[in-house]
Amino acid sequence: MAITSANQLELLQTAEAVAREKMIDPDLVIQAMEESLARAAKSRYGSDLDIRVKIDRKTGRATFARIRTVVGDDEVENHHAQLTVKQAKTYLKDPQIGDEVIDEVPPVDLGRIAAQSAKQVILQKVREAERDRQFEEFKDRKGTIINGVVKREEYGNLIVDIGRGEGILRRNEKIGRESYRPNDRIRCYIKDVRREARGPQVFLSRTDPQFMAELFKMEVPEIYDNIIEIKAVARDPGSRAKIAVISYDNSIDPVGACVGMRGSRVQAVVNELQGEKIDIIPWNQDQATFLVNALQPAEVSKVVFDEEANKIEVVVPDEQLSLAIGRRGQNVRLASQLTGLDIDIMTEAEESARRQAEFAERTKLFIDTLDIDEMMAQLLVAEGFTNLEEVAYVDLEELLSIDGFDEGTAGELQARARDYIEEQNRKAIETARALGVDDSLFNFEGLTPQMIEALARDGIKTLEDFATCADWELAGGWTTENGQRKKDEGVLEKFDVSLEEAQNLVMTARVMLGWVDPTELQSGDVEAEGDDEEEAEA
């Protein structure tokens, strides 16, 4: 194919047609043509030459030019594409480094192989431009709902036509056992848009909790207008879901607005989700109240919240236990996802038995260690004393406030508690030294002798060993294996060391060893080791 006046205009028409078909800029197609013609010309004149082609955007005339760049005397690497300043004086009046000498060369006739190569270059460039256009179009639509048409199924995954591109709905992102045939209409949530080697990939989902949130936004005008906000969503796709809502207008009931007249609004969402049952729950800033709402339809007798462990205990009447847990633990699992809390459910009878067991255990502790009778030990437990340290170091007035305790009795109790603690500390120090604990760990503030002994038994015998620990290794944490939460016991967990306290101890040890700059620690530049717990949860 020769570039002649007869087919110059055809170049522009071809570029326009390809651009219109692929919905990309015509200029990108012409640039691809220029590059392909330049490559063909190089194969004709020599690959060492720098040949560029310029196609006139109005006439379609292709101009072939040989470019030689002016470089320094010691920088010439390719004599066919570079000139020294001295050599360039033949062509330019006052050549400077970086100037270009341009010589027009005759157009080339494209043979069969060159024409095929040019076609491949154009197709590649057009494909890249199409991918860029698709990525730019869909990257801002991440997190929204899109309507599409099923094109085909590949190994259980659906390829969906979403207008100016294709999306993939993976097998695990479909609800239950729903099936689709080619040309079926489908509504999906755009979960992610990523650039990949084979082009931009639009990942769709129908199981993502936010899919349900977006459906409610479409059905409930108050949510779209930000009068009602969806605070949390939890789903067991195809079976049951819980959604927490709050209204910023006192005259509008958030639950009623989401349900709609005779349930019309929520029913539209249920139908789209293949009959998934939806509990709409009023959100509350108080976590305990919110949890009680989240466990509906079960009734809750009492809630005990442990802030340090981010754990909550819920007590329900005996007959409500199965309802609170739900089929296969579904109700409590969804409530846990909704509130972000680890929930333990027990009946009133179980809670009463546990309290009695704790009472008896603490009573026995005081009897054995303080050498007192059962009645006096029970009085201490009833007043809220849980361990010897509280008895030994509490203000004397608190002991004197207990019925039947005079100053002599209270003083004797504190003396016995302190003697027992000191004896235990002495034994712990002896054991730790026998296990080979370094003085650097003994001199570290924040660790009691019993803690040091526990660390030594776990192989942590120097300050360096301690500084390499993660906070969850010390305070305990949770990991998820095969969908099941598993408890990781911490070395210092029995001493009621919280994650925050463990993190502070470890970071202090690292500062003392010079591993961490304290100024960076204050400014927050050092990444907290507490993230390890999040990794364990992942």
Side-chain angles (χ1 to χ4, degrees), residues 22 42 124 133 159 183 185 203 230 260 275 281 313 347 356 374 401 410 417 445 485 499 516 530:
K22 301 295 184 180
K42 280 186 179 183
Q124 178 65 24
R133 189 266 310 154
I159 306 301
N183 298 320
R185 296 199 63 80
F203 295 96
I230 297 173
I281 294 157
E313 290 180 351
T347 63
Q356 288 176 6
E374 186 177 3
S401 65
E445 274 188 50
R485 282 171 60 81
L499 273 171
V516 173

Side-chain angles (χ1 to χ4, degrees), residues 25-43:
D25 186 355
D27 197 54
L28 292 172
V29 182
I30 294 175
Q31 286 176 20
M33 289 178 171
E34 289 173 341
E35 188 175 324
S36 63
L37 289 172
R39 183 174 295 187
K42 280 186 179 183
S43 66

Side-chain angles (χ1 to χ4, degrees), residues 18 21 35 54 100 119 136 158 216 253 285 289 318 333 345 348-349 384-385 402 413 445 458 473 483 495-496:
V18 172
E21 181 188 348
E35 188 175 324
K54 186 72 175 174
E100 292 181 341
K119 181 182 177 183
E136 290 298 322
L158 291 182
F216 268 105
D253 171 26
Q285 193 169 2
T289 305
D318 292 19
R333 185 172 65 252
I345 292 187
E348 291 174 343
F385 289 94
I402 301 174
L413 277 178
E445 274 188 50
D458 202 59
E473 290 178 307
F495 301 103
D496 294 328

